[in-house]
Amino acid sequence: MNITRKILIVGGGYAGFYTAWKLERKLRPGEADITLVDPRPYMTYQPFLPEVVAGSIEARHAAVSLRRHLRRTHVVAGTVTAIDHEHRVVTVQPAIGDSFERSYDLIVVTAGAVTRKFPVPGIAEQAIGLKHVEEAVAIRDRLLTAFDQAATLPPGPQRQRLLTVTFVGGGFSGVEGFGELLSLATALLKRYPELDREELRFHLVEASGRILPEVTDKPGRWVVRSLEKRGAKVHLNTQVTSAVGGHVVLSTGEEFDSELIVWTAGNGANPVISRHTDLPVDGRGLIVVRPDLRVGTDDEPVPDAWAAGDDAAVPDLASPVPGARTVPNAQHAYRQGKLLARNIAASLHGKKPKKYLHHSLGSIATLGLGRGIFQYRGIVITGLPAWLMHRGYHVLAVPSWERKSRVLAIWLTAALFGRDILSLASVQRPRDAFVSGGDPAAHAGRE
């Protein structure tokens, strides 16, 4: 007699999506009942977010619909707020309605990390993250709206504030988003003869002495020089101490007003994983896993529990450093998700799971239209070739031929006609025009 196993996947990011997607192909119909719980109805392909910021990719094309591509998986729109593995049950909080419990036989924890925030005055009220599609769209629309507003003002402090952008965090997300937005802003000046290039101020603030820790020192310094040649200012060994009301104060004593502040200062432990589960967690708030992605250790394994991605402390067998863990990036989460599916299927079929071993393919980043950097060990490629490599790699990596085709079509269209510079910031308040009835006084009263 065949028994249908209930598999519950917590999180629909890279690792969670690929686990469900590949399990559907590796398990026979009726062999397992797969459920995926995530508050968003899509997986965000995060490497495309900087290009969404720059208008090089349509926002929807940086996301992959869960319901469209997971045809044998039950998708639950909600957030897992607690995991009680002893009793094989999770608590789910939907967007609307009361929380409820969901039982399972086997759990896969791929909830992902959250944006790491520090108690800097004003940041919670002023800054935007760069982890989700909505944030990338908001950043782009804020910049385009600021250009429109600045073009109607005379030179002065208010206009300067509108044309000042601050990114906090010099990792891949921050540097790529910064470079792409700088590329967009520079291109916009051609359409705004009222504005001068010298009025555009872009600040990248990094607490350590270098940016892009995934590459070595020399390429990192090249990126700094490249950004500064384009008019940006990179603040190393510097922290933001206040951003109240958009007035940025740096630890060096420098101060300036900034209309747009983007916070990309790394990832933090998911609070559900670090505080609301009985699964073993390490000192950083990450789930302890074995090399085969099963939860626990060789001495104390946890049955029926698997984990991967940014919320798991996955041993890095490719590293020469004893006890090293894989870094939280898309390259690992994507491959760990696929191995999770293979290992879960193998365990259900009485076979031995395989250990996760992945040698890095190198680091690659876009720095704006036609600009990029790639490093693989001692090989470093910069400029247009690296940018083309970046696009080629990610169009191959984004899941499904449907998404690949849409992204390629947008890139080809942009090559012919240029990027779209239309701002749709008003969609964030869609009822304004209806409520005001075209009365400027009514609109001003809601500002």
Side-chain angles (χ1 to χ4, degrees), residues 50 165-186 197 200-206 210-213 215 218-236 264 365-373 382-383 387:
V165 174
T166 305
F167 270 65
V168 185
F172 259 84
S173 178
V175 171
E176 288 192 311
F178 184 80
E180 287 286 352
L181 197 64
L182 176 60
S183 178
L184 172 61
T186 304
R197 176 68 183 82
L200 196 62
R201 307 282 173 82
F202 267 66
H203 298 269
L204 176 61
V205 183
E206 167 56 38
R210 52 169 298 181
I211 62 174
L212 295 179
V215 303
K218 188 175 180 180
R221 290 194 297 269
W222 178 89
V223 174
V224 172
R225 292 195 304 270
S226 174
L227 293 172
E228 290 181 338
K229 285 180 181 179
R230 294 160 59 190
K233 187 168 184 180
V234 180
H235 306 263
L236 299 178
T264 62
T366 174
L367 304 174
L369 194 62
R371 299 178 174 91
I373 184 169
T382 61
W387 179 77

Side-chain angles (χ1 to χ4, degrees), residues 78 107 143 160 188 220 222 237 250 284 297 317 347 380 396 414:
I107 192 169
L143 180 77
Q160 185 59 74
L188 283 175
W222 178 89
N237 296 309
L250 303 182
R284 296 174 299 165
T297 63
L317 301 183
S347 68
V380 178
L396 291 174

Side-chain angles (χ1 to χ4, degrees), residues 332-346:
H332 283 299
Y334 156 71
R335 287 171 173 79
Q336 288 170 9
K338 293 200 296 184
L339 179 63
L340 261 179
R342 292 197 298 269
N343 280 353
I344 291 171

Side-chain angles (χ1 to χ4, degrees), residues 83 95 104 111 113-114 148 175 191 220 266 274 281 289 302 306 316-317 353 437 441:
I83 301 172
Y104 62 85
V114 297
D148 284 333
V175 171
R191 307 293 182 183
S274 61
V281 176
V289 298
V302 178
W306 304 74
D316 188 354
L317 301 183

Side-chain angles (χ1 to χ4, degrees), residues 26 48 85 94 182 207 213 287 316 336 431 438 445:
K26 294 185 175 299
F48 278 160
H85 189 62
L182 176 60
I287 294 183
D316 188 354
Q336 288 170 9
R431 297 184 66 252

Side-chain angles (χ1 to χ4, degrees), residues 284-424:
R284 296 174 299 165
L286 304 178
I287 294 183
V288 177
V289 298
R290 310 194 309 187
D292 60 6
L293 305 181
R294 288 185 286 189
V295 174
T297 63
D298 291 336
D299 296 330
E300 297 183 30
V302 178
D304 303 322
W306 304 74
D310 293 355
D311 64 2
V314 179
D316 188 354
L317 301 183
S319 173
V321 180
R325 298 290 183 263
T326 58
V327 296
N329 62 22
Q331 194 174 131
H332 283 299
Y334 156 71
R335 287 171 173 79
Q336 288 170 9
K338 293 200 296 184
L339 179 63
L340 261 179
R342 292 197 298 269
N343 280 353
I344 291 171
S347 68
L348 293 179
H349 298 154
K351 299 179 182 178
K352 185 178 180 180
K354 295 182 179 180
K355 296 180 179 181
Y356 178 73
L357 173 62
H358 172 63
H359 295 277
S360 174
L361 301 176
S363 300
I364 191 165
T366 174
L367 304 174
L369 194 62
R371 299 178 174 91
I373 184 169
F374 167 78
Q375 181 177 21
Y376 176 70
R377 297 181 179 176
I379 301 172
V380 178
I381 300 173
T382 61
L384 180 62
W387 179 77
L388 292 172
M389 291 170 64
H390 178 274
R391 286 203 163 185
Y393 172 79
H394 285 299
V395 80
L396 291 174
V398 68
S400 86
W401 284 104
E402 174 258 341
R403 272 296 176 263
K404 299 180 197 295
S405 300
R406 290 183 186 274
V407 170
L408 279 172
I410 289 292
W411 280 342
L412 292 174
T413 303
L416 290 173
F417 303 109
R419 62 180 121 207
D420 196 336
I421 61 170
L422 176 66
S423 170
L424 292 177

Side-chain angles (χ1 to χ4, degrees), residues 23-194:
L23 276 176
E24 290 184 348
R25 290 158 175 75
K26 294 185 175 299
L27 298 180
R28 298 182 298 273
E31 190 173 0
D33 176 13
I34 306 170
T35 298
L36 186 148
V37 183
D38 195 280
R40 287 178 170 81
Y42 55 80
M43 180 205 82
T44 301
Y45 190 74
Q46 291 184 350
F48 278 160
L49 292 186
E51 295 209 46
V52 173
V53 166
S56 300
I57 287 181
E58 166 63 34
R60 287 183 176 85
H61 299 167
V64 179
S65 170
L66 298 179
R67 292 183 181 273
R68 174 169 183 163
H69 295 284
L70 301 180
R71 299 176 182 177
R72 288 171 47 198
T73 298
H74 180 53
V75 177
V76 176
T79 301
V80 171
T81 57
I83 301 172
D84 181 358
H85 189 62
E86 181 181 358
H87 299 97
R88 302 297 194 274
V89 66
V90 298
T91 303
V92 180
Q93 177 61 61
I96 300 176
D98 298 328
S99 61
F100 59 89
E101 292 186 339
R102 188 99 181 187
S103 63
Y104 62 85
D105 298 314
L106 183 153
I107 192 169
V108 180
V109 184
T110 55
V114 297
T115 300
R116 182 178 59 185
K117 295 188 289 290
F118 298 100
V120 179
I123 285 296
E125 295 78 17
Q126 299 292 328
I128 303 176
L130 186 51
K131 201 172 183 64
H132 303 289
V133 174
E134 305 94 325
E135 294 171 323
V137 173
I139 291 168
R140 177 173 177 266
D141 285 347
R142 286 275 291 274
L143 180 77
L144 294 171
T145 300
F147 266 69
D148 284 333
Q149 294 172 347
T152 65
L153 297 172
Q158 189 175 3
R159 177 158 140 165
Q160 185 59 74
R161 173 192 172 106
L162 288 166
L163 297 176
T164 301
V165 174
T166 305
F167 270 65
V168 185
F172 259 84
S173 178
V175 171
E176 288 192 311
F178 184 80
E180 287 286 352
L181 197 64
L182 176 60
S183 178
L184 172 61
T186 304
L188 283 175
L189 290 171
K190 300 175 184 178
R191 307 293 182 183
Y192 290 85
E194 305 93 336

